[in-house]
Amino acid sequence: MNLRNTLFLICSMVCLSVCGQALPVDGPLTLRPVLQQLGERLLQGKTGSIVAINPANGEILCLATNTPKGFDVRQAIGKPQAPGSTFKTAQALTLLSEGIVTVDTKVECNKGFIDGNIRVGCHQHRTPLALKDAIAQSCNSWFIVTFASMINETFMYNSKDEAVNTWRSYMQSMGLGGPMHIDMEGEQGGLLAGADYLNRRYKDGWNGKTIWWAGMGQGDVTCTPLQLCNLAVTIANRGWYYIPHIHKNTRNQRYLTRRQTKVAAAAYPPVVDAMRMAVEKGTATSIRTTYPICGKTGTIENPGADHSAFIGFAPMNDPKIAVSVYVEHGGFGADLAAPMAGLIIEAYLKGKLTPASETKANRIAAKKIK
């Protein structure tokens, strides 16, 4: 679908809430045509979405989607799915803020985590790893163990219900789990398992081990690609964001009010450093470049081939753009989602792609995924 038709479809779905009524938006949108065109091109033959946001003001720069039936904005804003390892950034911020871990906390990982008959695989990497390397190398064991330790903590919390609700409140403050009430129709929330939900689901009881999958972004947690991009925004800004919006020059205070996360200010620098390490020497080296990109890959297990995901922002200390990419059945996050995000970032920061990047874009666009 060409850019003009895509923008028409997006315009037809955009609305503002005024006096309780949904009104069509007139006027310019925040989308950047060069990014929208590139995003659509990269998603050809695939099911997924690319979202880009300006961290400084919450303006949506790119909202490209594709499905077997063509463009569908709900793929980005109305289809919550497991976030996979992109979620480990939010986990680290929460665990650091609560004092469950420090940057020096180490966890053993011997190609995965084993507990009785349960085995969770992991990447090949040295062991043990501390927090920054655990993010950069996307160590499942580190996040399973540390998340379970928070839920089972009996000194800080009166009960596991209090522990998991505390965890959930941090995630909600980062814009995850529920609708953010953007200025478009069709937005959905997601799932962040709190005590009420878990007590209903697990009638025979539950503990940190029952839900440890959430520690690595699987199981009882789902988010939309829009929410994941906003998570990248909160990290880029070291703790704040504006609700994403697509209507330019809005006067609605909902989109002009800065929102602060619950995360401790001291938690952001090590996570930002770790996301930089992921690009420099971790799971996202495929997008290593001369300007500093910070990112986190995600590979999401599900029936069929894995989903491919990535969140990131650039430049590291002067963020101009945050991006999320989510491609269903796209395989490893490092192999597809990360390179797609890298191209979007390059096009925005540089104004165009280099010849080598154009070749890469053509190769990705030609890749078909059933």
Side-chain angles (χ1 to χ4, degrees), residues 184-197:
M184 299 184 70
E185 293 180 341
E187 185 188 10
Q188 296 293 321
L191 172 64
L192 288 172
D196 289 344
Y197 169 88

Side-chain angles (χ1 to χ4, degrees), residues 96-142:
L96 284 167
S97 297
E98 282 294 284
I100 302 298
V101 302
T102 71
V103 292
D104 298 319
T105 298
K106 293 184 177 181
V107 174
E108 292 282 347
C109 178
N110 297 304
K111 298 183 181 180
F113 180 79
I114 300 175
D115 185 274
N117 294 326
I118 299 175
R119 177 181 175 83
V120 180
C122 196
H123 305 285
Q124 179 71 43
H125 57 69
R126 61 184 176 82
T127 187
L129 295 181
L131 181 142
K132 290 184 182 180
D133 280 319
I135 293 175
Q137 301 298 331
S138 201
C139 178
N140 290 332
S141 300
W142 197 96

Side-chain angles (χ1 to χ4, degrees), residues 245-283:
H245 52 280
I246 202 168
H247 180 236
K248 198 168 184 63
N249 303 321
T250 179
R251 296 182 180 179
N252 190 325
Q253 287 301 308
R254 177 189 296 277
Y255 310 111
L256 301 176
T257 302
R258 183 183 290 197
R259 296 164 193 273
Q260 200 75 27
T261 73
K262 282 188 60 174
V263 175
Y268 282 102
V271 172
V272 170
D273 288 345
M275 293 176 72
R276 180 69 187 132
M277 288 169 58
V279 176
E280 281 294 295
K281 60 179 183 179
T283 59

Side-chain angles (χ1 to χ4, degrees), residues 77-78 178-182 184-189 224 226-227:
I77 71 173
M180 288 184 287
H181 305 291
I182 62 172
M184 299 184 70
E185 293 180 341
E187 185 188 10
Q188 296 293 321
T224 64
L226 175 75
Q227 291 167 6

